[in-house]
Amino acid sequence: MNYALITGASKGIGKSIAIELAKRKYPVLLVARSENELELTAREIHEAYGVATDYLACDLSKENAAIEIFNWCAEKKYRVQVLVNNAGYGYAGKFENYNLEAYNEMMQVNMNALIGLCHVFIPTLKSFDESYILNIASSAAYQATPGLAVYSASKAFVLSFSRALHRELAHTNLSVSCVCPGGTDTNFASRAQVGNKALKLAARVNMTPAAVAKIAVHKMFKKQPEIITGTINKLGAFFAWLLPKKLVEKSAASIYEV
C-alpha cells in the first residue's frame, strides 16, 4: 500500500493536509511529538474518510529523527508516495532573548530534519510513476524579519532548497513543491511568543489551516514549485521584492516590536 507521510500532523496545517490527502483516498502516516494527539487524529481521519492510518511519535529536533522515521516505514513496509515536511516553529523577539540550544533545536526541526527526510525518501519516491514532496515554508521566507530573525532565515532556506530540488528533479517522476503560508490560525504565535501588535495584525488576515491545506495540496498535485496562499500574502511577497530592503525590514521590526 502506498502512503502519504506528514510531519507535524497532530494539529494545525499538518493535520489539515493529512485530511485533504485522506479525502483523496491516500492512506496517511502521521508524525509528531505527542502520541496522544496523534492517536486521536489518526482515529478521527480513519473514521471520517475510511483510509488506513498509522502514526509515529518522534521528536524531529533529534539528530537521527529522519532515519528513525525511514526505518519505521521500512519495518512496516509502508511505501511513501507523498512526503509532506510540515513540522516547524519559531521564536519571536530579539535574537539574544533565547539561548543557543533553543535555536539549534529549532533549526534542526525547520531545516535539518526536512533535508534528512527528503534525502532518505527520494529513492523510494522515485520508484513511483508519480510522487510528490511538499515542503512548508512561510511568507517570512521572502524577507529578513527582525523579531523573527532565525525563523525567517530558516524558511528562506526551505524555499530556496525546495526550488533548487524541484529543478534538479524536473525530468523525473518526482515533483517538489513549497508552500509559503502567511498568518494562519494555529498555535504558532503562542509558541513563538509573538507580541500583541503582531497578533492583532495577523488576526485581520489569518487563514484557516483547512484553507491553506486545500490550496497547498491542490497546487502540489499540479506540480507547482512555489505556492503562496491568499491574496494578501501574494501582495506581501511582491512588495518585499519591490520595495527597498531597509524599508521592508524597518516595517517588520515595528510589527514585532524590536
Side-chain angles (χ1 to χ4, degrees):
M1 190 179 293
N2 304 333
Y3 286 81
L5 187 148
I6 306 99
T7 66
S10 61
K11 54 192 170 185
I13 294 173
K15 178 179 178 180
S16 292
I17 288 174
I19 289 171
E20 280 297 314
L21 290 164
K23 287 178 180 178
R24 295 169 182 256
K25 298 305 176 185
Y26 275 88
V28 293
L29 305 174
L30 312 176
V31 177
R33 289 186 304 168
S34 171
E35 186 163 5
N36 289 338
E37 289 180 350
L38 283 170
E39 183 180 7
L40 290 172
T41 300
R43 186 185 309 132
E44 176 187 332
I45 291 174
H46 174 69
E47 291 175 354
Y49 304 104
V51 299
T53 62
D54 202 351
Y55 60 89
L56 174 68
C58 179
D59 184 353
L60 290 178
S61 69
K62 297 188 302 183
E63 189 173 346
N64 65 343
I67 297 297
E68 180 181 336
I69 294 167
F70 179 80
N71 288 342
W72 175 73
C73 291
E75 289 166 7
K76 296 218 168 189
K77 297 185 177 357
Y78 295 149
R79 298 184 71 237
V80 173
Q81 187 176 10
V82 179
L83 172 64
V84 180
N85 287 302
N86 166 74
Y89 64 98
Y91 292 119
K94 291 185 177 180
F95 173 69
E96 67 266 27
N97 287 357
Y98 301 92
N99 62 41
L100 189 57
E101 181 182 1
Y103 284 128
N104 283 337
E105 288 184 355
M106 187 186 79
M107 291 188 291
Q108 177 66 34
V109 174
N110 292 6
M111 298 185 292
N112 295 349
L114 180 149
I115 293 292
L117 286 166
C118 288
H119 196 271
V120 296
F121 277 106
I122 278 178
T124 302
L125 289 162
K126 290 175 76 173
S127 70
F128 293 94
D129 291 336
E130 283 193 324
S131 56
Y132 305 87
I133 293 174
L134 176 63
N135 293 329
I136 283 65
S138 167
S139 59
Y142 293 104
Q143 63 184 76
T145 310
L148 284 174
V150 179
Y151 174 76
S152 63
S154 73
K155 292 305 184 179
F157 174 93
V158 171
L159 177 58
S160 179
F161 166 73
S162 299
R163 288 197 63 95
L165 193 60
H166 175 90
R167 176 51 52 191
E168 286 187 22
L169 297 169
H171 300 296
T172 74
N173 55 318
L174 172 55
S175 175
V176 179
S177 300
C178 184
V179 60
C180 297
T184 309
D185 188 15
T186 68
N187 73 335
F188 171 85
S190 175
R191 183 174 185 181
Q193 302 179 53
V194 170
N196 288 331
K197 187 174 182 180
L199 285 174
K200 289 177 182 178
L201 181 62
R204 300 175 189 172
V205 296
N206 266 354
M207 296 179 69
T208 66
V212 170
K214 186 173 183 178
I215 294 168
V217 170
H218 174 72
K219 296 294 187 180
M220 177 190 75
F221 284 123
K222 293 289 186 181
K223 302 183 179 182
Q224 185 167 317
E226 186 173 336
I227 306 156
I228 303 175
T229 58
T231 302
I232 295 294
N233 299 320
K234 290 176 182 176
L235 286 171
F238 173 73
F239 284 118
W241 168 79
L242 178 68
L243 297 174
K245 289 181 180 179
K246 184 177 180 179
L247 178 61
V248 174
E249 291 157 9
K250 184 178 180 180
S251 175
S254 71
I255 292 171
Y256 290 100
E257 303 174 293
V258 295

